[in-house]
Amino acid sequence: MSEEAILEARYLTRKFKTADSRVLTAVDNVNLKIYKGKTLGIVGESGCGKSTLMRMLVQLDTPTEGQIIYRGKDITDSKGKSLRENHRRIQMVFQDPMASFNPRMKVLDIISEPLLNYKLIKKNERKNIAKKYLKMVDLPEEFMDKYPQNMSGGQRQRVGIARALTLEPEVILCDEATCSLDVSVQDHIIKLLVKLQREKDIAMAFICHDVALVQSLAHKLAIMYLGNIVELISGDKINKEAKHPYTKALIGSIFDIGVDQNTQIETIESEAPSPLDLPQGCSFQNRCPHCKEICTIKKPELSKLKGEHYVACHLYG
């Protein structure tokens, strides 16, 4: 039985015009699928286009080109009632929950507000709803009377997850949802997301710049560099089967206190080029130890190696 794709990006591109009329391509011709009950991890350095891609998928930003497909239907240009229904089915957990909370609202109101907006509950049902979803994210019911500023970062992120769950979405998109948290708190949030996904069979995307963290929960990983997907690989195979030089460098840069002291630490030389002034050919060429003449002339396309493993690199073309 084939997997069911709930949300899909088809040839998604997002371009921005600068004040001096130049064009910045934040997301370039991206194709990705998010499957029911599975997690897609999207990994890359800051500025690679991960958040822009996520904002397009949740329809907080409009693609310059391409399509967003939800359950086989093109929802790219949805407006009004259709867009509102899409937002109910596709929810987002933001990097900074404080920025998405009204500081004057108690947790009780934050959690129940989406349901009231969609007229799915009455005001006198708010407390029972808050209790239900606080319990779901392992917070005591007393938290419903707290304000966001009176909680820790991990507690606020749990409230953000609870709020995203209230509308019973089919897809949850997590935008760097753990990057500002302590390592031990990150672990708790990751385990919570894994548990909730199993219980509710939710399709999930999780973007992060930490490949070690995201591979702990992602079934599939998309490696992103300067707006492009350069490798697509199963989460459990990335350490042994990664091919793209950028992916290998990301893995090689992971610090492990148990590592052999004689092991050479991989580094990525040089700085990434400006997205406003990308070179002809492969955008990774100035940082790649395997750069060949063709890399400076022709941009590599994402091509299938075997199974569900794809890579955009002339070394494997």
Side-chain angles (χ1 to χ4, degrees):
M1 184 176 176
S2 61
E3 292 180 306
E4 181 183 359
I6 302 294
L7 189 64
E8 181 180 354
R10 288 186 187 171
Y11 308 104
L12 272 193
T13 298
R14 183 66 171 103
K15 297 182 180 182
F16 297 94
K17 267 195 174 182
T18 64
D20 57 358
S21 297
R22 290 191 293 171
V23 176
L24 187 154
T25 303
V27 176
D28 188 7
N29 203 35
V30 165
N31 291 280
L32 286 175
K33 292 181 179 181
I34 304 173
Y35 293 95
K36 184 179 179 67
K38 302 290 185 181
T39 297
L40 171 68
I42 304 174
V43 188
E45 294 169 288
S46 296
C48 73
K50 305 185 300 295
S51 293
T52 302
L53 173 61
M54 201 70 85
R55 287 178 62 83
M56 286 193 289
L57 290 176
V58 81
Q59 295 188 281
L60 292 176
D61 197 1
T62 304
T64 307
E65 298 171 16
Q67 297 174 302
I68 302 163
I69 308 297
Y70 171 68
R71 285 195 166 279
K73 180 182 177 182
D74 185 353
I75 63 169
T76 314
D77 299 318
S78 296
K79 293 180 176 62
K81 187 177 180 180
S82 296
L83 180 60
R84 181 174 165 81
E85 190 60 27
N86 296 342
H87 285 161
R88 179 179 172 182
R89 299 302 179 194
I90 306 167
Q91 284 286 301
M92 191 164 183
V93 177
F94 295 90
Q95 176 179 342
D96 179 7
M98 275 299 288
S100 63
F101 292 161
N102 183 335
R104 296 183 179 182
M105 292 174 67
K106 291 182 178 180
V107 169
L108 168 67
D109 303 307
I110 290 170
I111 291 177
S112 60
E113 183 186 33
L115 292 163
L116 289 171
N117 285 343
Y118 280 88
K119 295 181 171 55
L120 297 174
I121 63 168
K122 298 176 181 178
K123 284 190 176 182
N124 61 5
E125 298 176 292
R126 292 182 306 155
K127 285 192 175 182
N128 287 335
I129 288 294
K131 287 179 186 178
K132 173 184 174 181
Y133 285 97
L134 284 172
K135 182 179 180 181
M136 203 175 286
V137 296
D138 302 328
L139 288 175
E141 62 182 62
E142 292 79 18
F143 268 67
M144 73 172 71
D145 293 319
K146 284 181 175 286
Y147 289 95
Q149 54 268 35
N150 300 134
M151 297 184 291
S152 69
Q155 290 165 346
R156 284 195 291 266
Q157 199 56 279
R158 286 172 186 268
V159 173
I161 293 168
R163 181 178 63 176
L165 289 169
T166 58
L167 294 173
E168 299 294 331
E170 290 192 281
V171 185
I172 291 183
L173 309 177
C174 300
D175 182 8
E176 301 267 17
T178 60
C179 74
S180 61
L181 305 177
D182 292 340
V183 173
S184 60
V185 181
Q186 285 183 354
D187 183 58
H188 291 149
I189 295 296
I190 294 297
K191 287 178 179 176
L192 173 63
L193 289 170
V194 170
K195 176 176 78 81
L196 291 170
Q197 183 181 57
R198 287 174 180 166
E199 291 173 355
K200 295 181 170 293
D201 209 20
I202 299 170
M204 193 178 296
F206 190 97
I207 71 172
C208 187
H209 57 264
D210 185 344
V211 67
L213 175 67
V214 76
Q215 75 179 95
S216 67
L217 82 155
H219 299 86
K220 189 169 291 185
L221 289 175
I223 311 301
M224 199 165 181
Y225 185 75
L226 287 175
N228 297 275
I229 302 299
V230 297
E231 188 155 14
L232 192 60
I233 187 172
S234 295
D236 59 354
K237 295 181 179 179
I238 187 168
N239 288 327
K240 293 183 178 180
E241 298 185 18
K243 299 297 184 185
H244 198 282
Y246 179 60
T247 309
K248 289 183 176 181
L250 289 177
I251 297 167
S253 65
I254 296 171
F255 178 74
D256 183 350
I257 58 174
V259 72
D260 184 343
Q261 293 187 8
N262 295 318
T263 301
Q264 183 178 356
I265 297 175
E266 300 237 7
T267 60
I268 305 178
E269 300 298 330
S270 180
E271 296 289 331
S274 167
L276 286 168
D277 189 26
L278 293 176
Q280 180 182 350
C282 177
S283 55
F284 191 62
Q285 59 182 266
N286 69 313
R287 309 174 79 186
C288 181
H290 310 290
C291 181
K292 303 184 293 184
E293 184 179 358
I294 191 173
C295 303
T296 65
I297 300 169
K298 183 180 178 183
K299 181 178 178 178
E301 296 181 0
L302 194 65
S303 304
K304 185 173 183 176
L305 283 184
K306 63 176 181 177
E308 293 300 311
H309 190 180
Y310 293 78
V311 66
C313 181
H314 289 304
L315 292 173
Y316 307 96

